[in-house]
């Protein structure tokens, strides 16, 4: 076992770009039951002097070559990594009847292996909002530790149940007449740093009121766990409840006492196990056939999804019959062969003959409907050469999977068009069938989407107005921005808050005390939290935009904060939430879509295709955020008011630029209008959507994902950058799975936005959504410094998370920042990737810095004298001696 990760029980929405395999099992013919198959164990190839080759394919014997010499063409053992999912559960039990001591009891627990903590707080009767308070000392279980002034963490006790299974539980006892209105909590697994929440928010246990009213615990919803490939909404879905609190005349919670309650929630735990598959190919010149042997130590059902290819192409073909036993044809494009289990239960194997017409065999392994295993070395399909090619007296090296590039795009076009046409015809022919074929139809639609995405990645190069060449600038202080919104190129951003910062009520004051320290560390920009009146305390459900008294502090404290940072040479970004806005009034149908304050819009300001808020505007130019009315930026009066408000914020507060929330919700052209009107020093948008996955595994090629981000930046005319979500996602997989080859794209450049448009790429490894107490997409635990070693040495504009810079990581991060500043690494610095292998990534930046991450060995060579500048666990930085 090499690693542990946590996943929600959901299928990734993206479909695979690889040509070898289905996105779903509706197309597969079910294999025969295990009991009906032969138990005969296929024997390994045995080569004798007489050239006799004996092997078995399933239960049928492969024809024996009577004469001729057999030569080993290929023999290799490939490592595999298999994900096995174990299901567990968490539970909440409320015992409302007092025990012998007169105490009621809440029991929270789970049966999943790990070191569990309960992160929890309380609220009291008469309080409004969703603020936490620390529980009184008399109800805190033993071992509880205060967290700031609003929560505590309590370890769950471990004990076996009557059946011998390990359980983790904690008990909270309280008086029946307690003044506490509700208990809020999330679970934390300390070993992995994962947080487990209810629909992206807190679990809430009311100690008064009815469980049926609003279903506060979210019965039957399950615990939301956010792994690297899935990103839920950054706004808590509980926001609808918060909107209700803003409704005039709300009578608040009922006084009815809570009754007995018990509910369970599923958790899926994924563990990674190391395996292998060995492949041997022998060639007999007399019979013009090749014997191919497969063996894997994986037990259970294993299917080889395979095809053959000719010449120098990587186009899959199906060889003519006879095919090996237990083989099915898959969509006239590939074969799927079920391997035979060895009698001793140590694995599966198969062998079969192929004619000499073919140059190679390409395959992937399929274990179940969502588990497909590819080559760990490069992330592509396995490629096996079937012949030796003699060229000028030497043997030509076989092609490796994924290395072959087709020059003729028209050939690819014809294939893609044909595939899509066949799928559409298949879907049309099934249109009249009943719901039982619903899954089949959806899979065909997903396959069409996949093929379209593949075509998109082939023909759509990044649409950047100008190719950026490396720039070397001697004096950063004399540099002026190339254009509004891009900064000097030497910026280092600090996110100046986390998800809990609002709870102090004086965050502006607290952050101001850290301005001098942040400046001395080398930060040039601080990103401050949303400043406006908001239904949610975190600020991301804005209401009255001109009211700058928020849970973070008063408007006067905000202005003072900005002044303090300016005095220390640090610029300040305001977090502008422009996509949506919470209304203050209802329309005639009782829908909350009428706004108050200086920007007193009516329902014409709401997009028409928002399903919840009955807008009379035009259709949305982006994706809808469903917790609040989505604003129609195509309306002249809306854009005029927003520009006026942003200019007012620039002048009145002193903001130097913007962080734009939920930027995928509206067209980048509107952002261009807002940026040109306010001329920010620096601006960055949160354009966030899912990366591409194949059968639960992240795809190597993420060009389509970064292209969508680049398209948005281009729509802004480059007046704003964007967070490089692509790079974050690839770093997750590269570090977590030791697949550092992912950090170089097919052209040998960085695979994220920083590889295409570095001056507009804001790189990061964590923020208030992905980390903090939300934990939607937490960076691999214990590997944060590898992530910072990457983004703080590479092009792009790096952003450091508040929780990291004010933690045990500060000294190491500060050293990397110092190196970046001293060597004048900036957003357009030149980069040369030196190594991108299984367990090692190394690169040279600006010809004066070398870096490596990963467990693999790397030391600089050549005429330059390299001096170690920084090093830590699995990372090392060198600088050229002056």
């Amino acid at each position: 076992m090499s690693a542990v990760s946590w996943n929600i029980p959901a299928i990734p929405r993206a479909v695979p770009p690889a040509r070898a395999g289905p996105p779903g099992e509706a197309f597969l013919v079910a294999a025969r039951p295990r009991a009906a198959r032969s138990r005969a164990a296929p024997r390994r190839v045995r080569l004798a002097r007489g050239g006799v080759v004996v092997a078995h394919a399933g239960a049928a014997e492969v024809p024996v070559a009577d004469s001729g010499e057999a030569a080993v063409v290929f023999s290799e053992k490939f490592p595999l990594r298999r994900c096995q999912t174990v299901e567990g559960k968490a539970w909440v039990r409320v015992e409302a009847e007092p025990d012998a001591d007169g105490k009621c009891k809440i029991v929270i627990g789970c049966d999943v292996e790990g070191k569990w903590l309960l992160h929890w707080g309380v609220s009291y009767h008469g309080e409004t909002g969703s603020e936490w308070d620390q529980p009184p000392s008399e109800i805190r279980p033993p071992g509880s530790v205060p967290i700031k002034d609003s929560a505590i963490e309590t370890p769950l006790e471990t004990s076996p149940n009557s059946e011998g299974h390990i359980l983790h539980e904690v008990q909270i006892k309280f008086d029946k007449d307690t003044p506490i209105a509700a208990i809020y909590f999330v679970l934390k697994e300390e070993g992995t740093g994962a947080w487990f929440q209810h629909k992206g928010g807190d679990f809430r246990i009311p100690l008064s009121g009815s469980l049926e009213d609003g279903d506060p615990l979210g019965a039957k919803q399950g615990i939301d766990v956010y792994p690297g490939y899935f990103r839920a909404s950054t706004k808590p879905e509980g926001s609808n409840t918060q909107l209700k609190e803003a409704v005039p005349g709300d009578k608040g919670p009922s006084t009815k006492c809570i009754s007995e309650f018990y509910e369970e929630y599923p958790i899926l735990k994924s563990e990674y196990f190391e395996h292998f598959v060995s492949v041997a190919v022998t060639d007999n010149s007399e019979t013009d056939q090749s014997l191919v042997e497969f063996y894997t130590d994986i037990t259970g059902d294993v299917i080889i999804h395979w095809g053959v290819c000719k010449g120098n192409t990587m186009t899959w073909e199906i060889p003519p019959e006879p095919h090996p036993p237990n083989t099915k044809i898959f969509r006239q494009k590939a074969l799927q062969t079920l391997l035979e289990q060895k009698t001793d239960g140590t694995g599966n194997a198969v062998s079969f003959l192929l004619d000499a017409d073919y140059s190679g065999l390409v395959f992937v392994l399929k274990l179940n409907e969502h588990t497909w295993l590819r080559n760990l070395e490069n992330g592509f399909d396995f490629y096996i050469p079937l012949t030796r090619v003699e060229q000028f007296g030497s043997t030509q090296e076989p092609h490796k999977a994924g290395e072959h590039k087709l020059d003729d795009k028209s050939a690819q076009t014809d294939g893609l068009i044909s595939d899509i046409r066949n799928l559409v015809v298949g879907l049309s022919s099934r249109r009249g069938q009943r719901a039982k074929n619903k899954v089949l139809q959806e899979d065909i639609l997903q396959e069409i989407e996949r093929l379209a995405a593949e075509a998109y990645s082939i023909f759509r190069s990044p649409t950047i107005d100008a190719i950026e060449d490396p720039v070397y600038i001697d004096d950063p202080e004399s540099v002026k921005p190339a254009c509004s919104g891009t900064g000097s190129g030497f910026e280092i951003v600090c996110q100046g808050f986390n998800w809990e910062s609002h709870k102090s009520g004086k965050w502006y004051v607290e952050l101001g005390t850290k301005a001098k320290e942040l400046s001395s560390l080398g930060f040039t920009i601080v990103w401050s939290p949303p400043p406006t009146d908001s239904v949610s305390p975190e600020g991301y459900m804005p209401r009255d935009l001109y009211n700058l008294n928020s849970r973070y502090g008063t408007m006067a404290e905000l202005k003072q904060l900005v002044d303090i940072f300016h005095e220390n040479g640090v610029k300040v970004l305001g977090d502008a939430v422009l996509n949506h806005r919470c209304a203050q009034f209802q329309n005639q149908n009782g829908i909350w879509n009428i706004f108050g304050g200086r920007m007193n819009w009516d329902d014409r300001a709401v997009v028409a295709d928002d399903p919840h808020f009955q807008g009379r505007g035009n259709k949305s130019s982006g994706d809808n955020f469903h917790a609040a009315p989505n604003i129609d930026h195509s309306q002249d009066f809306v854009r005029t008011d927003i520009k006026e408000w942003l200019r007012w914020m620039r002048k009145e507060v002193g903001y130097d630029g913007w962080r734009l929330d939920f930027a995928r919700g509206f067209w980048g052209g509107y952002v261009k209008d807002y940026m040109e009107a306010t001329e920010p020093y620096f601006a960055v948008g949160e354009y966030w959507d899912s990366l591409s996955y194949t059968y639960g595994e992240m795809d190597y090629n993420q060009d389509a994902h970064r292209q969508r981000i680049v398209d948005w930046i281009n729509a802004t005319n480059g007046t704003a950058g964007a967070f490089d979500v692509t790079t974050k996602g690839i770093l997750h997989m590269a570090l977590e799975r030791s697949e550092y080859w992912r950090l170089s794209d097919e052209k040998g450049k960085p695979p994220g936005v920083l590889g295409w448009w570095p001056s507009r790429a804001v790189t990061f490894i964590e923020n208030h959504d992905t980390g903090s107490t939300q934990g939607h997409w937490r960076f691999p635990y214990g590997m944060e410094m590898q992530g910072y070693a990457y983004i703080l040495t590479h092009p792009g504009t790096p952003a450091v998370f508040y929780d990291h810079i004010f933690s045990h990581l500060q000294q190491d991060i500060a050293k990397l920042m110092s190196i970046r500043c001293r060597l004048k690494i900036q957003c357009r610095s030149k980069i040369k990737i030196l190594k991108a292998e299984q367990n090692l990534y190394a690169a040279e930046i600006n010809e004066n810095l070398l870096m490596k991450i990963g467990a693999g060995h790397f030391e600089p060579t050549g005429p330059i004298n390299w001096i170690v500048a920084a090093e830590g666990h699995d990372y090392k930085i060198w600088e050229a001696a002056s």
Side-chain angles (χ1 to χ4, degrees):
M1 187 186 303
S2 63
V4 177
S5 69
W6 301 87
N7 297 285
I8 58 171
I11 301 172
R13 54 173 285 195
V15 287
R19 296 300 299 273
E25 290 307 293
F27 297 103
L28 296 182
V29 179
R32 280 189 294 157
R34 187 177 303 172
R37 300 199 304 267
S38 169
R39 296 287 181 174
R43 286 173 284 166
R44 299 302 306 271
V45 174
R46 177 170 55 83
L47 298 177
R49 290 196 178 189
V52 178
V53 180
V54 180
H56 283 263
E61 188 174 284
V62 174
V64 178
D66 295 326
S67 62
E69 292 297 323
V72 177
V73 174
F74 179 90
S75 179
E76 188 162 344
K77 183 178 180 180
F78 298 97
L80 301 171
R81 181 173 290 128
R82 174 177 62 91
C83 176
Q84 180 171 307
T85 301
V86 179
E87 184 173 354
K89 63 184 178 182
W91 55 85
V92 176
R93 183 171 72 249
V94 177
E95 299 179 6
E97 290 300 320
D99 59 15
D101 297 327
K103 301 290 185 180
C104 302
K105 183 166 59 177
I106 295 173
V107 180
I108 300 169
C110 72
D111 62 358
V112 178
E113 181 182 355
K115 187 176 181 181
W116 291 92
L117 294 173
L118 184 74
H119 182 92
W120 63 293
V122 301
S123 65
Y124 292 92
H125 291 297
E127 294 183 341
T128 59
S130 58
E131 300 285 349
W132 288 21
D133 292 310
Q134 286 188 349
S137 57
E138 61 267 20
I139 73 167
R140 301 181 188 182
S144 297
V145 176
I147 304 297
K148 296 185 178 179
D149 59 353
S150 58
I152 65 171
E153 286 187 349
T154 303
L156 274 65
E157 296 182 357
T158 302
S159 62
N161 64 5
S162 58
E163 300 175 353
H165 300 303
I166 298 298
L167 304 181
H168 310 272
E169 283 191 335
V170 63
Q171 297 183 4
I172 302 172
K173 295 185 177 182
F174 58 94
D175 293 329
K176 193 174 182 68
D177 58 350
T178 178
I180 297 172
I183 289 177
Y184 298 85
F185 75 90
V186 293
L187 284 171
K188 178 182 179 182
E189 206 288 300
E190 195 170 27
T192 61
W195 294 81
F196 302 90
Q197 305 167 300
H198 168 52
K199 299 197 294 184
D202 307 329
F203 279 84
R204 175 178 177 269
I205 304 176
L207 301 187
S208 65
S210 171
L211 271 176
E212 288 77 14
D213 183 15
D215 188 20
L217 277 170
K220 303 179 182 178
Q221 295 296 321
I223 291 181
D224 284 348
V225 184
Y226 300 94
Y229 67 78
F230 177 78
R231 192 236 184 196
S233 168
T234 62
K235 316 302 179 299
E237 291 187 37
S239 297
N240 286 332
T241 300
Q242 293 162 342
L243 271 169
K244 185 176 180 179
E245 292 170 1
V247 177
D250 189 357
K251 297 179 181 180
S254 166
T255 57
K256 178 182 176 181
C257 292
I258 191 169
S259 58
E260 300 285 334
F261 175 81
Y262 178 79
E263 190 63 54
E264 295 181 351
Y265 309 89
I267 299 178
L268 295 184
K269 176 183 178 181
S270 296
E271 298 178 337
Y272 291 97
F273 296 89
E274 303 299 327
H275 293 279
F276 69 87
V277 60
S278 61
V279 185
V281 180
T282 54
D283 177 52
N284 189 294
S285 58
E286 294 290 332
T287 61
D288 280 340
Q289 288 184 311
S290 297
L291 177 69
V292 184
E293 266 205 319
F294 291 89
Y295 170 72
T296 178
D297 64 339
I298 300 176
T299 58
D301 289 347
V302 180
I303 292 174
I304 298 179
H305 182 93
W306 63 284
V308 293
C309 48
K310 294 181 179 179
N312 292 324
T313 72
M314 291 288 287
T315 303
W316 284 49
E317 297 183 17
I318 298 177
E321 294 182 345
H323 298 145
N326 297 323
T327 296
K328 303 294 183 181
I329 297 176
F330 172 72
R331 278 194 270 167
Q332 302 301 317
K333 293 174 57 177
L335 297 176
Q336 292 186 334
T337 300
L338 180 67
L339 274 63
E340 285 292 334
Q341 292 185 353
K342 297 191 68 176
T343 53
D344 58 5
T346 58
N348 289 270
V350 72
S351 58
F352 50 82
L353 293 172
L354 287 174
D355 292 337
D357 297 340
Y358 305 106
S359 59
L361 181 148
V362 191
F363 76 94
V364 294
L365 293 178
K366 173 185 176 294
L367 304 186
N368 54 52
E369 60 186 44
H370 302 305
T371 304
W372 296 73
L373 304 182
R374 284 192 168 83
N375 194 333
L376 280 178
E377 181 179 349
N378 54 28
F380 292 103
D381 307 333
F382 293 96
Y383 178 87
I384 307 301
L386 298 178
T387 60
R388 289 178 177 267
V389 181
E390 300 295 332
Q391 190 174 43
F392 303 108
S394 63
T395 302
Q396 182 180 343
E397 290 295 322
H399 292 291
K400 292 183 179 179
E403 289 184 353
H404 186 84
K405 306 292 189 299
L406 290 177
D407 295 328
D408 184 7
K409 290 185 178 180
S410 63
Q412 286 178 289
T413 309
D414 294 341
L416 290 170
I417 292 174
S418 176
D419 288 340
I420 294 173
R421 182 179 294 115
N422 290 338
L423 287 169
V424 172
V425 170
L427 183 61
S428 176
S429 66
R430 293 170 172 83
R431 184 178 298 167
Q433 297 184 17
R434 290 184 173 270
K436 64 181 180 180
N437 284 324
K438 180 70 173 177
V439 174
L440 177 62
Q441 296 175 19
E442 290 178 352
D443 283 336
I444 295 177
L445 289 172
Q446 285 185 337
E447 183 71 355
I448 292 173
E449 179 184 333
R450 177 187 71 77
L451 293 168
E454 184 177 350
Y456 186 88
S457 65
I458 293 171
F459 296 101
R460 184 74 180 274
S461 60
T463 54
I464 302 172
D465 291 337
I467 300 299
E468 295 187 342
D469 293 324
V471 179
Y472 300 92
I473 304 173
D474 292 331
D475 183 12
E477 297 299 326
S478 65
V479 176
K480 294 182 178 180
C483 65
S484 174
T486 61
S488 69
F490 291 87
E491 314 300 343
I492 303 178
V493 179
C494 175
Q495 179 176 0
F497 63 100
N498 61 28
W499 193 248
E500 305 295 316
S501 296
H502 66 90
K503 291 183 177 179
S504 72
K506 290 287 184 179
W507 185 250
Y508 293 146
V509 176
E510 293 181 28
L511 184 59
T513 64
K514 296 177 170 61
K516 186 174 182 180
E517 181 180 4
L518 291 173
S519 176
S520 66
L521 289 170
F523 290 104
T524 62
I525 294 175
V526 64
W527 158 21
S528 65
T532 66
D533 164 56
S534 170
V535 170
S536 65
E538 298 83 11
Y540 289 103
M541 300 284 284
R543 185 167 44 192
D544 184 352
L545 299 188
Y546 278 92
N547 180 357
L548 300 187
N549 296 314
S550 71
R551 302 292 179 90
Y552 298 100
T554 66
M555 179 176 177
E557 291 168 342
L558 172 59
K559 293 170 69 173
Q560 185 179 17
L561 171 71
V562 174
D563 289 341
I564 292 173
F565 273 106
H566 286 170
E567 291 168 3
N568 286 276
V570 179
K571 299 188 182 299
V572 182
L573 302 183
D575 201 328
V577 184
L578 305 180
N579 175 76
H580 51 273
R581 181 184 171 196
C582 294
Q584 285 98 320
F585 308 102
Q586 296 169 294
N587 67 4
Q588 64 273 17
N589 298 322
I591 302 299
W592 293 85
N593 59 13
I594 308 298
F595 305 89
R598 284 177 58 176
M599 299 166 69
N600 54 346
W601 303 331
D602 59 16
D603 52 7
R604 292 173 300 159
V606 180
V607 296
D609 50 350
D610 188 324
H612 304 295
F613 295 99
Q614 296 183 4
R616 291 194 296 122
N618 297 311
K619 288 187 176 181
S620 176
S621 58
D623 294 337
N624 278 331
F625 173 70
H626 296 295
N630 288 256
I631 301 304
D632 179 11
H633 292 263
S634 71
Q635 302 284 3
D636 290 338
F637 71 89
V638 168
R639 292 200 309 279
T640 298
D641 285 352
I642 288 178
K643 285 185 286 187
E644 181 180 346
W645 173 67
L646 290 172
R647 283 192 291 259
W648 176 79
M649 296 262 281
R650 284 272 275 149
K651 180 180 179 180
E652 189 68 24
V653 178
Y655 284 133
D656 302 287
W658 314 111
R659 181 264 185 185
L660 303 170
D661 182 66
F662 203 77
R664 82 169 196 263
F666 53 104
W667 178 47
Y670 300 132
V671 174
K672 172 180 177 291
D673 195 14
Y674 303 143
M675 298 304 101
E676 290 176 347
T678 57
E679 298 182 344
Y681 175 81
F682 190 88
V684 55
E686 181 204 27
Y687 192 96
W688 192 311
D689 64 1
S690 296
L691 280 77
S692 299
Y693 290 83
T694 301
Y695 322 132
E697 300 290 330
M698 180 183 287
D699 294 341
Y700 164 70
N701 188 324
Q702 294 293 338
D703 286 356
H705 183 266
R706 61 175 166 173
Q707 182 67 62
R708 292 192 292 272
I709 299 176
V710 164
D711 287 346
W712 181 86
I713 300 171
N714 212 34
T716 74
N717 201 31
T719 57
F723 287 109
D724 194 346
V725 181
T726 315
T727 290
K728 174 176 168 64
I730 293 172
L731 278 171
H732 271 250
M733 193 61 66
L735 273 58
E736 194 172 52
R737 303 280 294 274
S738 188
E739 297 174 349
Y740 291 83
W741 45 263
R742 292 179 178 274
L743 295 175
S744 176
D745 69 11
E746 293 177 347
K747 296 182 179 180
K749 293 184 177 182
V753 178
L754 72 90
W756 279 357
W757 207 345
S759 70
R760 303 305 192 273
V762 178
T763 54
F764 71 108
I765 70 168
E766 207 79 288
N767 64 27
H768 62 293
D769 288 325
T770 66
S772 190
T773 54
Q774 290 206 98
H776 286 336
W777 194 20
R778 199 176 301 279
F779 201 75
Y781 183 75
M783 298 180 175
E784 293 87 354
M785 285 311 304
Q786 286 192 66
Y788 281 120
Y790 183 91
I791 70 171
L792 286 169
T793 60
H794 277 53
T797 300
V800 179
F801 184 39
Y802 181 90
D803 288 7
H804 290 165
I805 199 60
F806 291 105
S807 74
H808 65 284
L809 302 176
Q810 183 182 96
Q811 184 176 353
D812 293 330
I813 295 173
K815 183 177 289 188
L816 294 177
M817 291 175 59
S818 176
I819 295 169
R820 183 180 181 91
C821 295
R822 184 171 66 250
L823 300 184
K824 298 178 181 178
I825 306 299
Q826 45 104 3
C827 68
R828 297 181 180 88
S829 287
K830 180 181 179 181
I831 179 172
K832 179 182 179 183
I833 296 176
L834 305 176
K835 298 282 186 180
E837 301 172 350
Q838 182 70 36
N839 63 350
L840 172 67
Y841 171 85
E844 178 183 295
I845 297 90
N846 271 9
E847 300 180 352
N848 62 354
L849 183 149
L850 281 179
M851 62 81 65
K852 81 98 177 178
I853 55 176
H857 176 74
F858 176 84
E859 291 291 335
T861 59
I864 299 177
N865 181 22
W866 294 99
I867 302 173
V868 176
E871 61 182 317
H873 181 63
D874 287 344
Y875 76 91
K876 199 169 185 178
I877 314 295
W878 298 263
E879 61 179 295
S882 56

